[in-house]
Amino acid sequence: MSDVRFWRRRRVRRTAAWTVTAAVLAGGLFWVSGGYDSWRDDRALDSACDGDLAAGAVRELFDGISLTSSGRWSDRRRCTVSASDDDSDIGLALWVGQTERMMNLENSGGFDAPLGHGWTGSFRYDPDGEDPDEAAAVLLLSCGKESGHGRVMTVDANLGLGAFDDPVARERLVAVLTETATAYTRRTGCAAPTGERVKDVGVSTNRRDYKPVASATGSCAGMLDEKTAARWGVSTVQEITADPAPLEECVLGGLRGAFLYGFTASYGPSARFARMRLDEWQDSAAARRGPDALSGSYALGARCPGAGGSALFEVDTLGDEGNPKLAAPVVDHRGLRAALQRFAERSAKKHGCEAPGAV
């Protein structure tokens, strides 16, 4: 009987030894094949950006790609995610409080699409551009009612494979931004109001994306009555939706969308950059030609709560590149100022700003 127990114990020990050996070998293969690094990098996403990164949304955006992250908000206020085993540009970068990023995002020939759904933000993707796998988005986050008390957060992304002409990819990138922003504001005590998940994310409006003036329903809605439009030679508009955005634009144009009058509402960092450009223009020789020159620029300002800061509303009669040859042939200065007032009041109301006035 003792011999039977002895052999049973040996069999148990041998089975246990083989189990341990198999586990070690499996672990070794997992390590050698890079599985451990992939698992480790993937786990690192959960603590990236000081724990604020929307890791789940990032994984959805880069489905099937092994990712790694670097950077903290305290490190240049930037956090990045990239492919862990690829030398390509696949990945994304999130920025918080970097107003320079806003300026870079504004260097575009079109209008960014507002996010809507309770957010003050916009999305940039040019469906006709050379880089269909690249896109960017920006948010203004108000930390309270005090004017200028807020944050700006941006995201740039490169899918590498696929393209942002897929509406699902656009929705997932915006989810990365909004969910990360929500976590950041809660952790830092910003108390910024948050919106809903953004669906049906739009694409950028190009200069040739014009429509009949009577069809305006967004940023150009209600700008001109039929008689004034005919008198000014306005037959087309280029616009964005009516949702609040850091930069809101409307172009009144002639045939085939030819530029005649451009209206712009700027908030937060966008307003600061716009004011700098306005000051430079006013110091130029063109400004010394007088307020009734053929090509003019008019502006209004308003004080806004939170991240909106000091908003700036402008209208100009210069075409692209500031070429007077592209300017409107006749300028109704009084009517133009009245149109700017209507544009500014409607935009300011959306942002909860005070009534616009002279700057």
Side-chain angles (χ1 to χ4, degrees):
M1 189 69 176
S2 59
D3 292 338
V4 173
R5 287 197 298 269
F6 171 77
W7 285 109
R8 282 180 179 174
R9 285 197 298 270
R10 286 198 61 182
R11 185 179 302 169
V12 169
R13 285 196 296 268
R14 183 178 300 171
T15 302
W18 276 109
T19 302
V20 172
T21 302
V24 171
L25 287 173
L29 290 174
F30 184 69
W31 185 297
V32 171
S33 66
Y36 175 77
D37 288 335
S38 175
W39 172 80
R40 181 192 61 191
D41 291 341
D42 188 68
R43 284 281 302 272
L45 294 180
D46 295 320
S47 58
C49 307
D50 295 331
D52 298 331
L53 180 67
V58 170
R59 293 184 181 104
E60 287 185 348
L61 178 63
F62 297 100
D63 185 26
I65 298 178
S66 179
L67 302 168
T68 186
S69 63
S70 63
R72 299 166 59 89
W73 296 129
S74 56
D75 176 21
R76 298 178 60 201
R77 298 197 176 276
R78 182 183 69 171
C79 181
T80 63
V81 173
S82 59
S84 57
D85 58 352
D86 197 344
D87 294 330
S88 70
D89 295 328
I90 294 176
L92 60 82
L94 286 152
W95 306 74
V96 62
Q98 288 281 343
T99 56
E100 293 83 358
R101 300 300 301 167
M102 283 284 293
M103 184 169 62
N104 292 337
L105 286 175
E106 290 174 13
N107 293 329
S108 171
F111 306 159
D112 295 345
L115 296 181
H117 297 79
W119 299 97
T120 299
S122 56
F123 186 83
R124 168 169 299 174
Y125 168 67
D126 182 358
D128 300 321
E130 297 179 356
D131 300 304
D133 53 355
E134 296 182 4
V138 60
L139 281 179
L140 290 186
L141 305 165
S142 295
C143 300
K145 295 294 185 180
E146 183 180 351
S147 182
H149 190 198
R151 300 283 189 275
V152 57
M153 185 175 289
T154 62
V155 62
D156 305 323
N158 189 323
L159 285 181
L161 299 175
F164 283 103
D165 57 0
D166 180 0
V168 175
R170 298 197 296 270
E171 180 181 342
R172 287 175 175 174
L173 178 59
V174 172
V176 171
L177 179 60
T178 56
E179 292 177 20
T180 300
T182 298
Y184 169 80
T185 54
R186 287 175 178 172
R187 182 178 60 82
T188 58
C190 172
T194 58
E196 303 171 350
R197 183 172 178 109
V198 181
K199 299 180 180 180
D200 301 321
V201 179
V203 298
S204 300
T205 299
N206 292 317
R207 295 296 187 186
R208 58 183 173 275
D209 295 331
Y210 58 85
K211 64 177 71 172
V213 63
S215 301
T217 58
S219 56
C220 293
M223 292 292 294
L224 299 178
D225 57 52
E226 186 177 348
K227 290 184 178 180
T228 303
R231 181 161 50 88
W232 287 8
V234 173
S235 58
T236 61
V237 298
Q238 297 165 13
E239 64 175 359
I240 59 174
T241 64
D243 298 299
L247 192 67
E248 300 170 3
E249 298 161 298
C250 163
V251 167
L252 304 181
L255 296 175
R256 295 183 294 278
F259 182 99
L260 294 178
Y261 308 99
F263 295 79
T264 305
S266 304
Y267 296 87
S270 293
R272 292 196 289 273
F273 297 140
R275 187 55 191 260
M276 291 171 57
R277 292 192 295 266
L278 179 64
D279 290 343
E280 291 176 358
W281 183 88
Q282 290 175 337
D283 291 338
S284 69
R288 292 194 294 270
R289 294 167 58 190
D292 295 326
L294 175 62
S295 297
S297 180
Y298 311 106
L300 296 171
R303 187 177 179 84
C304 304
S310 298
L312 188 68
F313 311 93
E314 300 174 278
V315 59
D316 71 78
T317 61
L318 292 175
D320 294 341
E321 307 300 331
N323 186 348
K325 293 182 180 180
L326 299 177
V330 177
V331 178
D332 175 4
H333 295 282
R334 179 178 296 180
L336 202 57
R337 292 189 181 98
L340 174 61
Q341 188 73 39
R342 290 192 296 271
F343 174 80
E345 288 176 354
R346 187 173 64 249
S347 179
K349 185 177 181 180
K350 289 188 298 184
H351 291 259
C353 306
E354 298 175 357
V359 294

